[in-house]
Amino acid sequence: MKPAKFTYYAPETVAEIIALLGRYGDDARPLAGGQSLVPLMNMRVARPAVLVDLNRCKALDAVSDDDGTLVLGPMVRQSGGERSELVRRLCPLLAQTLRFTGPRAVRNRATIGGSLAHADPVAELPGAALALDATFVIEGANGRRTLKPDAFFVGQLTTAIEPGEFLREIRIPKAAANTVSAFIESGARQEGVAIGGVAAQITLAGEVCQDIRLAAIGVGSGPVRLTATERTLLGRKLSEALITEAAKAAEDDVDPTTDLHATAHYRKRLTVALAERAIKQALAGPRTN
Amino acid sequence: MAQTYARGPIGQSTLRVEDDPLLKGLGAFVDDVAPPKNTLHLGFVRSPHAHARICSIDTSAAKRLPGVVDVLTGRDLVDLMKPIQVDPDKPGFKITHRLAVTIDKARFVGDTVAVVVAENPYIADDAVEAVAVEYEALPAVVSLDASLAPGAPKIHDYIADNVIYENEQKTEGFDAVFTAAPHKFVRTFRTSRIAVASMEARGCIAIFERGLGTLTFWTSTQVPHIVRHALSEMLGLSDSKIRVIAPDVGGGFGMKAYLYPEELVAAALAIKYRGSFKWVQDRVDDFLTSNHARDQQYKMSYAVSAEGIIKAIRADILVNIGAYASFPMGSSLEANGGPRNMPGPYDFAQFAFRTRAVATNTCPTGAFRGVSAPSTFFSVEGMMDTIAKELGLDPVELRRRNLVTKFPYTNAMGQRYDTGSNGECLDRALELSGYVAYRRSQPASRLLDGKYRGIGVATVTEQTGQGASRYKERGLYRVPGFDAALIKIEPSGKVSAFVSQAAQGQGHLTTWSQIVAQELGVVPSDVTVIQGDTATVPFGSGTFASRGAILAGGAIIRATKIIRDKVKRIAASVLEASATDIEVADGYAFVAGVPKMRVALSDIASIAYSLDARLIPEGEEHGLEAIAHYDPPTSTVSNATHVAFVAVDPATGAIEVERYVVVHDCGRVINPMIVDGQVHGAISNGLGQVLSEALIYDESGQLTTTTLLDYHLPTALDMPTIQMEHMETPSEITLGGFKGVGEGGVIGAVPALAGAVRDALSPLGIEIIRLPLDPPYVLSMIEAAKAKRTN
Amino acid sequence: MAETRSSGYIGRAVPRLEDSRLLRGLGRYVDDLAAPPGTLHLAFLRSPHAHARIGSIRTAAAAAIPGVHVIATAADLAGLFTALRADYERPGFNRSEWYSIAVDRARYAGEIVAVAVADSPYVAEDVLELIEVEYAPLPAVVTVADAVKPGVASLHPNIGNVFFQGSFKSPGFDAAFAAAPVIVRETFTGSRIASAPMEPRGGLAVYDPGRDDLTYHATTQMPHIMRTAIAESFGWSESQIRIIAPDIGGGFGPKAYIYPEDILSIALARKLERPVKWFCDRMEDLQTTLQARDHRFDGELALDRQGIIQALRVRIEVNAGAYAGYPFGSSIEAAGGAVMMPGPYRLKYYAYEARSIATNVCPAGAYRGVSQPTAFFVMEGLLDRAAAKLGLDPAEIRLRNILHADEFPYTNAIGIRYDIGSYEECLKRALALGDYAGYRSRQTPTRFVEGKYRGVGIACFTEHTGQGASRYRDRGIRRMPGYDSAVVKVLPGGKAAAYVSQTEIGQGSITTCAQIVADRLGLDINDVTIVEGDTSLTPHGSGTGASRGAVAAGGAVLRAADKVREKMLRIAGDFLEASPKDIELNDGYAHVAGAPQLRVAIAEIAAVAHAAHDRPPPKGHGFGLEATDHYDPPHVYITNATHLAWVAVDPATGLVSVERYLVVHDCGRVINPLVVEGQIHGAVAQGLGQALMERIVHGADGQQQTVHFLDYLLPTALDLPPIEIAHLETPSPETAGGFKGVGEGGVIGALPALANAVADALKSFNANINRLPLAPDHVLDLIDQHRDRRVTAA
Amino acid sequence: MTTETTHVRLTVNGRVYERTVEPRLLLVDFLRHELGLTGTHVGCAHGVCGACTVIMNGETVRTCITFAVQAEGAQIKTVEGLAENGRLNPIQQAFHENHALQCGYCTPGFLMTVTEFLDENPDPSENEIRHALAGNLCRCTGYVNIVRAVRAAAEKMRSGAVQR
């Protein structure tokens, strides 16, 4: 398990990054935290001819509040994001999700942008991004374009980022007042790689569900929105019984496949259980101001 | 010759297994061993003064050099190690201490004053130069006479007369016998100081393994176990955490049977810095600091009957021991070596001696092949030649009248000779050399074709294979005396032999494999001998003092017997026979007389190691190995006659050795080719001592011979062809009947060559009482004699 | 056992001597060793097919890479070594061989087809990618059922895919079985698992062409056996071979084997006359290090109406993979399970049939506990089913059958003798410490508490430890000597060293051996050096495995130390003018009992013995202070234990969490409680992994799908509960020192305890726990089935 | 920025090292085989087992999935840098006293993880300890004694801090 040879660049500006990505096109891969890419390179499953290391570019790891939108540079480290006061305040679900993205040593290095761009179907952040209705800013030689999650996540390990482009920014709308959220997941052991997980963000008016976004992971080629459950709950008072019933509807939203870690049937069952728990856990937590 | 021995691998000139790697350049001498990464290199700042007070040492400039890691003085090291102390608290001994790096005074040129630690040996040399030492020079004593002179400067403050060791003994009734004898002869003989000059100088690598807290110490030594024990004692690290490895050693000859200060320093620094340190000596440093030898004086007084029968001998011996007593042999080794060897092959009852080891401001002296015996027999045989001449007897005739020919015999020192062949050896040597015919045709002038030509005959003994009791008697507590062998028939049926000794070229791997093979009924190529590594081989003494064959051979014989008996018992169980009926040969155990009823050793090994369908017989321990020690009860005595023919060029004083004959008896010969090699090499060492080798200190104590241009080792041109024959009179004391052989060649060569020159120059009235007989000295004697005659 | 006074190190919780260097990062595992100058790196091209004929191999493109030295196939290495063969030739065993590189045919995905030697491991991997091999895939047999179908081609000549088969039936079995009124039967299967030591396998072969000898540093538990195997394979003398097992990062059984990589690296080191190094990566380790526990056990337990066991019958099938490994051969799992099955209960009638079957997957072999975890998964599972059927509490049915203290020595149904034990006491103690009765009394029929189903499981078991030569011969294992050896020396300076034939692989044997030596010789433990794992330094013996360290190696150390002790006492007696039997050794001194001022330092005794003293050694006793001794335990020694596990099952996720775990254990005389507890903790964790999450999955084509730690799951700190341990000490009256083994017991108990606990928790679902692992999807299925699966009556 | 080799300069345990390496050289191979600091181990080379954990610029990282070139200018602390004046530090000592290691292969990774953890959370609960350790695999100890050792180290370090 040693990576194949590659040409290495460590540009310090965005312009250089774009120039390099443009020059090498399909041969180049941006290197963010590397926590998913380098294992694949070690196994020689991934073997980019050119690696453009984003870690030296200072402009990419900023967290800011752009008038009510949380703006994240792609190189914000996952452990840094979790600790960020701004993230916690504007976007509690993201902070909650970041606790689950891996062991501390991995999160110290792994980036928010890297995980989103990697688009692993069992990764937590794409689920959160979907629930948060994040906007993905992609930049390349032809300038910037923005995509919503449904357009960004194309398939397993595939996003809409084209050769020559990279994920330049993630923009997440600030959670509205009276919003609650939770992320939970479950795996084959007490913690670790998830089999499935659910991110929930609910905005309440009193006890009534005013807005709700639920996203499940591990049940498709990318994160899946649990629209049937959402529909059942939207505009209604969230009683325990209603939540249980609504969660059952999640079965209709997902169409998972069987793999090493679980059967399709199990994944459906798990999604239902986690949806119920995520909603209940969110409701048990504090509301945003 | 009561015992007869079966034919087998012993006695064959088996080609050496050592040779293949050495011939391919695959030997591994200390400097060939790859040291770990980041190994640091040592350099030693040597005193340029023979005797000086150290006033100050400024290490700052040296420390500033890039690549210099540290510079340490004696004071920095004093807490890391105990001083070297060797001699016992017994009458005659004075206990001395030596600091590996001296603090107060330098006591010889080469005494160590500071140590540098650097990233490579080049920088180490730079740093040595950059250490500034301020000395206050003191008067130095170099010679025996100067050291013993009244009011001579003291080498060690606590030794008033510079005599470190003294021993005086006299047989009962000596004075009366001496006085009563009709003839008295007195001569004083001197032998020069010589260097061992092994082709590989000294060196060591000390590797401290931080994880395990262990020290692996590679060193060019003859005595790895003694080094380990000494390091343990002086550095305070458990000997179980020290592994001493003597890799290939490029010659030792006794000089490497010592622990040296550099070894202590390297090991101490490795422990202190938890790292690796290496030091490899250069030739100049070797001449300055590796133990010298044979700076001795023998005043011999003989009382002889009218028939030339020796009645009594008195000897007064002085040994220049240099600045310090060395570990582990101490100050008494050479001083006692003289009287111990002096009785030699001759029969006399009355003996008196006084022997003293005298300190001087010179490099310490110690063991070199034969220790004192070459000087002793130079003196003894010199006396025999002189007495024969004075009494008008042929030198051979005088010897014959005095030789011990009946065995067992106990000499005047109480040493028992179990068997020997002094007379037979002499007869055969005379026959081979054509002595009688030579004498008959020899002109009285000794001049033939413009050169003085003469013949020298020396009959000598060699004390070999000493055990623990002998060393304890001599006060050499640091020399265990015994050796050991651990023999294993491995699961495959092949054999491993782990022997406590460490070779320096003698061919241990080959000879031991022959003994093992003989005793276990296998072929030598199935035997692998392992030696020189304290981690793998059992504890023992090491290789020096012609003890290899006897001690290792004895231990091997004892260990193999245990295994053979076990093989027989297992075979008996397999073959359903009685163990007493089983014989072992050719890789099989078989029922005596029924060779078809047999079981292969490899099968027996499988059973013994529980790798077979058959379980080991009830009551039998697993494995097929045994360890045994051997400690011979006394010395064993080899004997030889050397006959040398020389020609002396009166114009140049140059001596040419024209012919050389040796008849030698070292008991049962294991490998004649290797014994021949030992004798050849030793003769060349003796030839060097007689003809050319001398370390010369000037009056201030500076060594003037510090290169191979100044110190003359014999070359192929100097050595004659050697005609050799073996007699085999097995010892009745030692296991296997072996006697030692490593040193005999020097012991015989020195008196034989000196005697031949004496014979050649006898018409001139020249007495040969001093060595070496280098051309200027010989020419000066010839010229002086001629001048005397013309006067 | 001669009871003499000791300085009390045996039995003390001495912190380990091994730790200091390991904690500082100064351990020396194979890949940490400073590679000698000129070292080349070896990488292995492995068959991607489970079964394929190998056609042409093209290496030209690969050979053009700068830094490559050699690319070799079987043809290039022909004649350098021979195949390894471990089994006996006797009825029940079918002869097969394992050649280290595939010739013509690859028999499992991962088998080596070619090798590359290069300047660096990076380049070596580059080279592998460019070697082109033509494969003609053949049908792969992956399961036992497939392998023995009529008409399936044999993987090895003339074996019909049966490596081994054996059977046994007690006289009178049929009648006893037929007469029993109650019979429970079930088929139990375990998943194939990996030992997954944290350090994968590796080796560094240094061949000295000058001396024609080899030093091979290897991740091995059994250097002496490896040396013999290599000598045999290469036709060398063992004298030419030195095997060094440096620090070993976990062994657990599979590192007791000789692997193709070992043989190939040695062959290449010799061929190239350069040091050759290899180090498996995790993917290679998971695919090619011997796997284990691919078992199917059909068990039938016959009882009377009081729940007293009448007879037990079991049929065992083991998927042994493609080859029989050296040294344990093909029978270790199949025959081992069968022999160890009878356990701690009174059982007179026993019958088994067992076989090992060859398939196109990675070879299987010894892994901590070998087949005992499965055997007790079966036995304890059947007992719980019988209890349910009879309306007895699981504890009660065990109490009715378990052997009592007054029944020892006891010879079980297949003739294995149990010397002594505390079987009943262990169970009772565990029930008391766990407040079992209280827990049961609080339990509801649904077992549903605070959102989870909660239950308790009991497992009683025996652990076969310290087997000697005769046991291995009985089992048909020829290459395992069975005895162990030690050389104990007191060196001239008075400190001690012991050279032991076993190998430290993390179990703390350096410390425990040092305790024995220090105890017997009256030395401070810091003055004792223990050397293991080096065939040049240590005496011949078996090595580390099968819970034999304390018994066999510990016994050898004890015996050798006592010989040295005796000599020290004689010398001390000489010094002190006292009888040796009145002398005690303590704190570095020998002193007259009751008169501590009458003493002589052990350092002085050592000086005398080594002729480094003016006092001679006592006449007739020879020089040195050292002794070699061997210990071949005459039988097998049975350690016993009871495990109790409390679990909670999340009905929404199927995730099982272990909430409490209790072990009461008796391994005879305990040398170091700290070390014994560590062994139990680790083994329980491995049992927990097997019970709850670990599984190697093969596709129908024989491809292994779980090749890294993202797919092959090991338990983490979150999965393990704190483990409570109580020791009972019933010293063996037969072994040296009274020691019994302990290394494997934790796994053996954890499997049945956890399985039974989950079954108890899911009692209301009548969940049939007969298959492992109890992974979330499996558990959720069990809950979902929710149908009455009553235990089948006879 | 080149194909073949790149220059790296970094500080490990207070000592500055400079080497020229291939960009693909993993940081763990660099530490182990270029610098000879073999205390850091490779257990999986895919970032799961945690054996290769070191502290880089104040935070734990997995060196088997980091390239050496990426450590240019970094401050790294490895297990070899933990002992203080040759003495085991309180975490190491607690591991020793509580028998928290067996084969020792994974131990350096645990020590580095615990170093960061106790630095941030000096008084952790058992549950917090288990979560902090969950990214490191151990196959020998069952984690029982590692958890104990972390608790003991925390106590010792807290009491030490009070004394100071």
Side-chain angles (χ1 to χ4, degrees), chain A residues 1-2 44 47 187-191 260-262 265-266 269 273 277, chain C residues 125-126 129 281 650 652-653 656 711 713-714 719 776-777 780 784:
Chain A
M1 286 177 82
K2 307 289 183 194
R44 300 202 181 198
R47 38 187 320 147
R189 60 187 176 203
Q190 298 297 326
E191 200 173 80
L260 279 176
H261 299 292
H265 170 75
Y266 177 79
R269 285 278 324 264
R277 286 185 184 176
Chain C
E125 284 195 30
D126 295 346
E129 292 191 312
D281 60 43
D650 182 335
T653 64
V656 177
D711 288 340
L713 301 179
L714 299 183
D719 299 301
D777 59 347
L780 211 56
D784 277 354

Short mmCIF file of all heavy atoms in Angstrom, two decimals, chain A residues 1-2 44 47 187-191 260-262 265-266 269 273 277, chain C residues 125-126 129 281 650 652-653 656 711 713-714 719 776-777 780 784:
data_model
loop_
_atom_site.label_atom_id
_atom_site.label_comp_id
_atom_site.label_asym_id
_atom_site.label_seq_id
_atom_site.Cartn_x
_atom_site.Cartn_y
_atom_site.Cartn_z
N MET A 1 0.83 -1.20 0.00
CA MET A 1 0.00 0.00 0.00
C MET A 1 0.86 1.25 0.00
O MET A 1 1.06 1.88 1.02
CB MET A 1 -0.92 -0.01 1.22
CG MET A 1 -2.06 -1.00 1.08
SD MET A 1 -3.07 -1.06 2.54
CE MET A 1 -4.14 0.33 2.29
N LYS A 2 1.40 1.54 -1.16
CA LYS A 2 2.17 2.77 -1.34
C LYS A 2 1.59 3.46 -2.57
O LYS A 2 1.32 2.80 -3.58
CB LYS A 2 3.65 2.47 -1.58
CG LYS A 2 4.30 1.56 -0.54
CD LYS A 2 4.48 2.24 0.79
CE LYS A 2 5.19 1.33 1.76
NZ LYS A 2 5.11 1.81 3.15
N ARG A 44 -3.97 2.38 -4.36
CA ARG A 44 -3.85 2.60 -5.81
C ARG A 44 -5.20 2.45 -6.51
O ARG A 44 -5.27 2.06 -7.68
CB ARG A 44 -2.78 1.69 -6.42
CG ARG A 44 -1.42 1.96 -5.81
CD ARG A 44 -0.28 1.50 -6.68
NE ARG A 44 1.00 1.78 -6.00
CZ ARG A 44 2.18 1.83 -6.60
NH1 ARG A 44 2.28 1.62 -7.89
NH2 ARG A 44 3.26 2.10 -5.91
N ARG A 47 -5.36 7.19 -8.60
CA ARG A 47 -3.97 7.42 -8.96
C ARG A 47 -3.87 8.65 -9.84
O ARG A 47 -3.55 8.56 -11.03
CB ARG A 47 -3.34 6.19 -9.61
CG ARG A 47 -4.26 5.41 -10.55
CD ARG A 47 -3.61 4.13 -11.00
NE ARG A 47 -2.23 4.37 -11.27
CZ ARG A 47 -1.25 3.47 -11.09
NH1 ARG A 47 -1.54 2.28 -10.66
NH2 ARG A 47 -0.01 3.77 -11.36
N GLY A 187 -24.00 2.42 13.25
CA GLY A 187 -23.11 1.59 12.45
C GLY A 187 -23.10 0.17 12.94
O GLY A 187 -23.95 -0.25 13.72
N ALA A 188 -22.10 -0.55 12.50
CA ALA A 188 -21.99 -1.95 12.88
C ALA A 188 -21.32 -2.10 14.23
O ALA A 188 -21.31 -3.17 14.81
CB ALA A 188 -21.21 -2.71 11.82
N ARG A 189 -20.72 -1.05 14.71
CA ARG A 189 -20.20 -1.05 16.06
C ARG A 189 -20.57 0.28 16.69
O ARG A 189 -21.24 1.09 16.06
CB ARG A 189 -18.70 -1.32 16.09
CG ARG A 189 -17.89 -0.31 15.34
CD ARG A 189 -16.41 -0.70 15.25
NE ARG A 189 -15.70 0.26 14.43
CZ ARG A 189 -14.56 0.01 13.81
NH1 ARG A 189 -13.98 -1.15 13.93
NH2 ARG A 189 -13.99 0.95 13.07
N GLN A 190 -20.15 0.47 17.92
CA GLN A 190 -20.70 1.59 18.68
C GLN A 190 -20.42 2.94 18.05
O GLN A 190 -21.16 3.87 18.23
CB GLN A 190 -20.18 1.55 20.12
CG GLN A 190 -20.62 0.30 20.88
CD GLN A 190 -22.12 0.18 21.05
OE1 GLN A 190 -22.81 1.18 21.20
NE2 GLN A 190 -22.65 -1.04 21.02
N GLU A 191 -19.35 3.07 17.35
CA GLU A 191 -19.10 4.31 16.63
C GLU A 191 -18.23 3.92 15.46
O GLU A 191 -17.68 2.82 15.44
CB GLU A 191 -18.39 5.34 17.51
CG GLU A 191 -18.53 6.76 17.01
CD GLU A 191 -17.96 7.76 18.01
OE1 GLU A 191 -16.73 7.92 18.01
OE2 GLU A 191 -18.73 8.35 18.77
N LEU A 260 -21.93 -5.26 2.16
CA LEU A 260 -21.24 -6.02 3.20
C LEU A 260 -21.79 -5.78 4.59
O LEU A 260 -21.84 -6.67 5.42
CB LEU A 260 -19.77 -5.58 3.25
CG LEU A 260 -18.82 -6.16 2.24
CD1 LEU A 260 -17.47 -5.51 2.42
CD2 LEU A 260 -18.72 -7.67 2.46
N HIS A 261 -22.16 -4.54 4.85
CA HIS A 261 -22.43 -4.19 6.23
C HIS A 261 -23.90 -4.35 6.60
O HIS A 261 -24.22 -4.46 7.77
CB HIS A 261 -21.96 -2.76 6.51
CG HIS A 261 -20.50 -2.62 6.30
ND1 HIS A 261 -19.61 -3.24 7.13
CD2 HIS A 261 -19.78 -1.99 5.36
CE1 HIS A 261 -18.38 -2.98 6.70
NE2 HIS A 261 -18.46 -2.23 5.62
N ALA A 262 -24.77 -4.31 5.63
CA ALA A 262 -26.18 -4.44 5.96
C ALA A 262 -26.99 -4.75 4.72
O ALA A 262 -26.61 -4.39 3.60
CB ALA A 262 -26.69 -3.16 6.60
N HIS A 265 -32.99 -4.25 3.36
CA HIS A 265 -34.09 -4.25 4.32
C HIS A 265 -33.68 -3.55 5.62
O HIS A 265 -34.40 -2.72 6.16
CB HIS A 265 -34.51 -5.69 4.60
CG HIS A 265 -35.46 -5.83 5.74
ND1 HIS A 265 -36.81 -5.49 5.63
CD2 HIS A 265 -35.29 -6.26 7.02
CE1 HIS A 265 -37.40 -5.71 6.79
NE2 HIS A 265 -36.51 -6.17 7.66
N TYR A 266 -32.49 -3.91 6.08
CA TYR A 266 -32.01 -3.32 7.32
C TYR A 266 -31.86 -1.80 7.18
O TYR A 266 -32.23 -1.04 8.06
CB TYR A 266 -30.67 -3.94 7.73
CG TYR A 266 -30.08 -3.31 8.97
CD1 TYR A 266 -30.55 -3.65 10.23
CD2 TYR A 266 -29.09 -2.32 8.88
CE1 TYR A 266 -30.04 -3.06 11.37
CE2 TYR A 266 -28.58 -1.72 10.01
CZ TYR A 266 -29.04 -2.10 11.26
OH TYR A 266 -28.55 -1.50 12.39
N ARG A 269 -35.16 -0.16 7.50
CA ARG A 269 -35.59 -0.19 8.90
C ARG A 269 -34.81 0.83 9.72
O ARG A 269 -35.37 1.53 10.57
CB ARG A 269 -35.35 -1.59 9.50
CG ARG A 269 -36.32 -2.66 9.05
CD ARG A 269 -37.61 -2.60 9.84
NE ARG A 269 -37.42 -2.23 11.23
CZ ARG A 269 -37.33 -3.08 12.24
NH1 ARG A 269 -37.42 -4.36 12.01
NH2 ARG A 269 -37.14 -2.65 13.48
N ALA A 273 -36.00 4.17 11.93
CA ALA A 273 -35.69 4.32 13.36
C ALA A 273 -34.91 5.59 13.62
O ALA A 273 -35.16 6.32 14.58
CB ALA A 273 -34.91 3.10 13.84
N ARG A 277 -35.79 9.01 15.76
CA ARG A 277 -34.93 9.46 16.86
C ARG A 277 -34.35 10.84 16.60
O ARG A 277 -34.21 11.64 17.52
CB ARG A 277 -33.79 8.48 17.06
CG ARG A 277 -34.27 7.22 17.71
CD ARG A 277 -33.15 6.30 18.03
NE ARG A 277 -33.70 5.07 18.58
CZ ARG A 277 -32.97 4.01 18.88
NH1 ARG A 277 -31.66 4.05 18.70
NH2 ARG A 277 -33.54 2.95 19.38
N GLU C 125 6.08 -1.84 -5.64
CA GLU C 125 4.65 -1.85 -5.97
C GLU C 125 4.40 -1.33 -7.38
O GLU C 125 3.51 -1.81 -8.07
CB GLU C 125 3.85 -1.03 -4.95
CG GLU C 125 3.66 -1.79 -3.64
CD GLU C 125 2.58 -1.18 -2.76
OE1 GLU C 125 1.62 -0.59 -3.29
OE2 GLU C 125 2.71 -1.29 -1.52
N ASP C 126 5.22 -0.36 -7.80
CA ASP C 126 5.09 0.13 -9.18
C ASP C 126 5.33 -1.04 -10.15
O ASP C 126 4.63 -1.17 -11.17
CB ASP C 126 6.14 1.21 -9.48
CG ASP C 126 5.93 2.49 -8.66
OD1 ASP C 126 4.84 2.63 -8.06
OD2 ASP C 126 6.87 3.31 -8.60
N GLU C 129 2.48 -3.59 -10.77
CA GLU C 129 1.38 -3.16 -11.62
C GLU C 129 1.63 -3.43 -13.09
O GLU C 129 0.69 -3.50 -13.87
CB GLU C 129 1.15 -1.65 -11.42
CG GLU C 129 0.62 -1.31 -10.05
CD GLU C 129 0.15 0.13 -9.97
OE1 GLU C 129 0.91 1.00 -10.42
OE2 GLU C 129 -0.95 0.37 -9.47
N ASP C 281 1.11 -5.24 3.77
CA ASP C 281 0.23 -4.16 4.18
C ASP C 281 -1.06 -4.77 4.72
O ASP C 281 -1.25 -5.99 4.70
CB ASP C 281 -0.01 -3.17 3.04
CG ASP C 281 -0.64 -3.81 1.82
OD1 ASP C 281 -1.57 -4.62 1.98
OD2 ASP C 281 -0.20 -3.49 0.69
N ASP C 650 -30.66 -2.91 20.97
CA ASP C 650 -31.49 -1.79 20.53
C ASP C 650 -32.42 -2.31 19.45
O ASP C 650 -31.96 -2.70 18.37
CB ASP C 650 -30.57 -0.68 19.99
CG ASP C 650 -31.34 0.55 19.56
OD1 ASP C 650 -32.55 0.42 19.23
OD2 ASP C 650 -30.74 1.63 19.56
N ALA C 652 -34.37 -0.89 17.52
CA ALA C 652 -34.49 -0.06 16.32
C ALA C 652 -33.32 -0.30 15.38
O ALA C 652 -33.49 -0.29 14.17
CB ALA C 652 -34.56 1.42 16.71
N THR C 653 -32.14 -0.46 15.93
CA THR C 653 -30.95 -0.58 15.08
C THR C 653 -30.39 -1.99 15.05
O THR C 653 -29.56 -2.31 14.20
CB THR C 653 -29.84 0.35 15.60
OG1 THR C 653 -29.46 -0.11 16.91
CG2 THR C 653 -30.30 1.79 15.69
N VAL C 656 -26.07 -4.39 19.36
CA VAL C 656 -25.93 -5.00 20.68
C VAL C 656 -24.86 -4.23 21.44
O VAL C 656 -23.77 -4.00 20.93
CB VAL C 656 -25.49 -6.48 20.54
CG1 VAL C 656 -25.26 -7.10 21.92
CG2 VAL C 656 -26.53 -7.26 19.76
N ASP C 711 -14.05 -2.26 6.23
CA ASP C 711 -15.01 -3.34 5.98
C ASP C 711 -14.87 -4.48 6.99
O ASP C 711 -15.84 -5.14 7.32
CB ASP C 711 -14.80 -3.91 4.57
CG ASP C 711 -15.27 -2.94 3.50
OD1 ASP C 711 -16.08 -2.05 3.84
OD2 ASP C 711 -14.82 -3.06 2.35
N LEU C 713 -14.38 -5.15 10.59
CA LEU C 713 -14.52 -4.27 11.76
C LEU C 713 -13.96 -4.91 13.01
O LEU C 713 -14.30 -6.04 13.35
CB LEU C 713 -15.99 -3.94 11.98
CG LEU C 713 -16.68 -3.25 10.80
CD1 LEU C 713 -18.15 -3.00 11.12
CD2 LEU C 713 -15.99 -1.94 10.45
N LEU C 714 -13.07 -4.17 13.67
CA LEU C 714 -12.57 -4.61 14.97
C LEU C 714 -13.25 -3.77 16.05
O LEU C 714 -13.58 -2.61 15.83
CB LEU C 714 -11.05 -4.36 15.06
CG LEU C 714 -10.18 -5.09 14.04
CD1 LEU C 714 -8.71 -4.78 14.34
CD2 LEU C 714 -10.41 -6.59 14.09
N ASP C 719 -16.85 -0.27 22.27
CA ASP C 719 -17.59 -1.54 22.24
C ASP C 719 -17.37 -2.38 23.48
O ASP C 719 -18.15 -3.26 23.79
CB ASP C 719 -17.17 -2.35 21.01
CG ASP C 719 -17.47 -1.62 19.71
OD1 ASP C 719 -18.64 -1.30 19.49
OD2 ASP C 719 -16.53 -1.34 18.95
N PRO C 776 -25.75 -5.89 13.47
CA PRO C 776 -27.05 -5.25 13.59
C PRO C 776 -28.11 -5.78 12.62
O PRO C 776 -29.24 -6.02 13.02
CB PRO C 776 -26.74 -3.77 13.31
CG PRO C 776 -25.33 -3.61 13.75
CD PRO C 776 -24.66 -4.91 13.44
N ASP C 777 -27.73 -6.00 11.37
CA ASP C 777 -28.77 -6.44 10.45
C ASP C 777 -29.25 -7.85 10.79
O ASP C 777 -30.42 -8.17 10.70
CB ASP C 777 -28.32 -6.32 8.98
CG ASP C 777 -27.08 -7.13 8.66
OD1 ASP C 777 -26.40 -7.60 9.60
OD2 ASP C 777 -26.78 -7.27 7.46
N LEU C 780 -31.49 -7.59 13.85
CA LEU C 780 -32.79 -7.01 13.51
C LEU C 780 -33.66 -8.04 12.76
O LEU C 780 -34.86 -8.12 12.99
CB LEU C 780 -32.58 -5.76 12.64
CG LEU C 780 -33.63 -4.67 12.80
CD1 LEU C 780 -33.75 -4.23 14.26
CD2 LEU C 780 -33.30 -3.47 11.93
N ASP C 784 -37.21 -9.33 13.77
CA ASP C 784 -38.29 -9.22 12.79
C ASP C 784 -39.00 -10.54 12.58
O ASP C 784 -40.22 -10.59 12.43
CB ASP C 784 -37.72 -8.75 11.45
CG ASP C 784 -37.57 -7.25 11.42
OD1 ASP C 784 -38.01 -6.61 12.40
OD2 ASP C 784 -37.00 -6.72 10.46
#
